Amino acid sequence: MQRKTLTVEALPGFEPEIGRWIWGLEDVRRTILKRLEGIRYEQLNHRADGRQSIGSLLYHIAYIEADWLYAEVLESDWDPKIKASFPWDHRSEDNRLSEVPDQSLDEHLHRMQKVRHELLAHFKGMDLSDWRKVRQLEPYDVTPEWVIYHLIEHESHHRGQIFQLLRELEMQP
């Protein structure tokens, strides 16, 4: 068995400290993408026991990433090209995550990649003073550093849900 080396490396092109956090964000995404390889359309869009489909969770992950990027980090309106990638409301009237109508894995992955590309572009040019600069919003104060921490936590949580749903679906005949 080949010995693994488990380290965190700063991604090139970023201030090193920021690059290490972005590495963590990218690593969570990498594990999701690897696990989704070969997923069938029916599995992606299957709803079980009132839970969201895997596709809806992917939509939610991308939506939240875009929202935190634009609202908290950039303190601006969404880029219209990104906003156009989200034709469905984020939440239903009863405040549950919206169920996204049947979409292919390619559609979900394209949306996720588009948002991530925007996020990476904005964080590549960031220095440590901006990384830790407090954005004073109406409900709270927040730094870009905390946003990335939150996005890692958020996507990891939903990764667990996705993996659990896949395990259950793979056990079905």
Side-chain angles (χ1 to χ4, degrees):
M1 187 162 119
Q2 186 177 9
R3 183 176 174 86
K4 291 183 180 182
T5 301
L6 305 174
T7 61
V8 173
E9 303 291 331
L11 292 181
F14 293 86
E15 194 292 327
E17 183 173 336
I18 297 169
R20 284 188 285 280
W21 280 92
I22 299 296
W23 178 93
L25 186 66
E26 288 282 80
D27 189 60
V28 174
R29 177 67 53 86
R30 183 190 55 76
T31 61
I32 291 174
L33 298 178
K34 184 168 177 54
R35 183 68 173 91
L36 290 176
E37 288 175 3
I39 188 173
R40 295 189 325 271
Y41 181 84
E42 298 77 31
Q43 292 172 316
L44 181 68
N45 293 292
H46 180 79
R47 290 190 66 195
D49 307 324
R51 294 180 285 174
Q52 277 74 38
S53 67
I54 292 169
S56 292
L57 289 169
L58 296 175
Y59 185 89
H60 171 72
I61 289 168
Y63 185 99
I64 292 302
E65 185 169 313
D67 193 49
W68 279 92
L69 172 63
Y70 289 106
E72 278 78 5
V73 175
L74 301 175
E75 299 179 275
S76 69
D77 292 333
W78 287 36
D79 180 307
K81 293 177 289 189
I82 296 295
K83 189 69 173 168
S85 298
F86 295 93
W88 298 282
D89 288 335
H90 172 56
R91 293 202 173 262
S92 62
E93 288 181 13
D94 63 355
N95 204 32
R96 292 178 46 85
L97 295 183
S98 291
E99 188 59 38
V100 175
D102 295 346
Q103 289 205 307
S104 71
L105 181 60
D106 285 344
E107 289 171 298
H108 285 294
L109 297 183
H110 177 72
R111 179 184 303 108
M112 293 174 80
Q113 187 275 332
K114 197 171 175 181
V115 172
R116 181 58 56 88
H117 179 77
E118 284 294 306
L119 181 136
L120 295 176
H122 288 289
F123 277 88
K124 262 194 177 171
M126 191 174 284
D127 61 22
L128 285 177
S129 64
D130 195 25
W131 172 246
R132 294 200 175 102
K133 181 182 174 197
V134 175
R135 275 68 167 160
Q136 296 179 325
L137 308 174
E138 189 176 319
Y140 47 75
D141 296 339
V142 65
T143 64
E145 181 178 36
W146 191 91
V147 168
I148 295 299
Y149 157 76
H150 176 68
L151 291 174
I152 292 170
E153 177 185 54
H154 178 260
E155 192 160 331
S156 295
H157 170 76
H158 291 302
R159 175 183 63 185
Q161 291 177 307
I162 290 166
F163 287 12
Q164 178 63 36
L165 284 167
L166 275 172
R167 278 190 297 274
E168 292 170 13
L169 290 168
E170 290 167 350
M171 291 193 314
Q172 293 179 357

